[in-house]
Amino acid sequence: MRKTLRKGVRILGGVALAATVLVGTATAATAQDNPYERGPDPTESLIEASRGPFSVSQTSVSSLVSGFGGGTIYYPTSTSEGTFGAVAISPGFTATESSIAWMGPRLASHGFVVITIDTNTIYDQPSSRGDQLLAALDYMTEDNLTVRGRIDSSRLAVAGHSMGGGGSLEAASSRPALQAAVPLAPWNTDKSWSELRTPTLIIGGESDSIAPVATHSIPFYNSIPASAEKAYLELDNASHFFPQTPNTTQAKYMLSWLKRFVDNDTRYEQFLCPAPDDRDISDYRDTCPHA
């Protein structure tokens, strides 16, 4: 936790005015340097809250769309701050969109357009889920009349649970232009991702018996080149199913990763680097400092 030491001093009017001008100039410069910042300066309480500063609307996507099984899009209602980055999230093997639906409005309320998808069948493997995540992003940026004008198509990301997490690795491997990937308790038979170039945060569960971190999340993380930017977060005593119910620790660092790499919002760097000291995290590895 960062603390700021403040000292009370008397400042003459002219000096105070000069300081105000300098602060205003610095703020303007920061905004110019970081044009994709959305929302207020982040605090611990803000990123841990169940809802962020943006009001959220939603729209359903029919299962008749091409490339994936439909879903729900959540998006900031106001466009006064400009366009937003977008995230597609896949459920796991035999699961449906409802199992990951809580992430949609939570992330959207911080300034993202988010689609939580159903897959073509509940048995689709990671490779297919990766293709479907990309199809969902393409649908939002090209075909959906409600949100396509709200999205900056150069700022896209993927996430998913279990085989959906493995699918997010597949999607990032197929489309290096993605700005971020967040696999959650990921499962995949492919253990090597040396070709990955997308900044990737892998979140695993310490007590996962379906995709044990020793044979899934950790080998995945180790195989990704450090030049891609990567982090591995392990939730203390969490099972394979931690992403299926609201989880403050998962949401906090998932949001920070997406903000940092999709929006290039360096205000969120403080929550990722240096490594967080959080009692709910049993292991954390990363490539700090981020370039």
Side-chain angles (χ1 to χ4, degrees):
M1 182 179 295
R2 290 166 171 74
K3 297 182 179 179
T4 303
L5 180 62
R6 300 183 178 182
K7 295 183 178 179
V9 295
R10 294 184 62 187
I11 305 175
L12 296 177
V15 177
L17 177 60
T20 301
V21 171
L22 287 172
V23 169
T25 302
T27 302
T30 300
Q32 280 187 333
D33 291 342
N34 233 341
Y36 305 128
E37 286 184 2
R38 299 290 181 265
D41 289 342
T43 62
E44 290 275 350
S45 59
L46 177 66
I47 65 174
E48 289 179 352
S50 62
R51 290 295 180 271
F54 291 89
S55 296
V56 173
S57 299
Q58 67 183 73
T59 183
S60 296
V61 179
S62 168
S63 61
L64 299 178
V65 294
S66 177
F68 63 105
T72 306
I73 300 174
Y74 303 87
Y75 59 94
T77 305
S78 172
T79 57
S80 61
E81 292 195 39
T83 56
F84 301 96
V87 187
I89 308 176
S90 168
F93 188 66
T94 74
T96 63
E97 176 211 355
S98 63
S99 68
I100 48 148
W102 69 272
M103 300 180 215
R106 188 157 184 162
L107 294 173
S109 70
H110 286 275
F112 292 101
V113 179
V114 183
I115 183 167
T116 53
I117 70 169
D118 270 320
T119 47
N120 291 325
T121 80
I122 59 175
Y123 306 109
D124 292 335
Q125 297 295 299
S127 179
S128 174
R129 289 171 193 267
D131 290 341
Q132 292 178 61
L133 285 168
L134 297 178
L137 290 175
D138 292 342
Y139 169 78
M140 287 200 296
T141 57
E142 298 170 8
D143 299 325
N144 188 280
L145 297 178
T146 301
V147 299
R148 68 183 184 185
R150 298 171 183 266
I151 297 173
D152 178 348
S153 60
S154 69
R155 297 189 288 127
L156 306 177
V158 290
H161 173 221
S162 192
M163 283 196 184
S168 68
L169 291 167
E170 300 275 0
S173 175
S174 298
R175 190 175 294 183
L178 291 176
Q179 299 299 294
V182 186
L184 306 166
W187 186 99
N188 202 308
T189 56
D190 186 349
K191 307 302 181 185
S192 179
W193 300 93
S194 59
E195 76 281 7
L196 219 62
R197 295 296 179 267
T198 298
T200 300
L201 167 64
I202 296 174
I203 303 180
E206 182 185 29
S207 300
D208 189 338
S209 61
I210 295 174
V213 294
T215 55
H216 289 77
S217 292
I218 292 174
F220 299 161
Y221 170 80
N222 288 339
S223 71
I224 299 170
S227 58
E229 300 292 4
K230 61 179 182 175
Y232 168 65
L233 186 159
E234 186 177 287
L235 292 173
D236 185 50
N237 203 34
S239 77
H240 183 67
F241 300 102
F242 70 82
Q244 294 189 344
T245 54
N247 184 299
T248 297
T249 307
Q250 173 204 316
K252 173 181 179 179
Y253 295 104
M254 183 178 187
L255 170 65
S256 297
W257 193 265
L258 293 171
K259 281 286 192 179
R260 175 63 184 83
F261 291 104
V262 175
D263 287 355
N264 194 33
D265 193 336
T266 54
R267 297 178 300 173
Y268 286 79
E269 182 81 354
Q270 62 182 302
F271 306 112
L272 301 168
C273 186
D277 181 14
D278 192 314
R279 65 182 181 182
D280 293 322
I281 297 175
S282 55
D283 188 4
Y284 192 89
R285 313 176 190 192
D286 58 27
T287 53
C288 283
H290 298 120

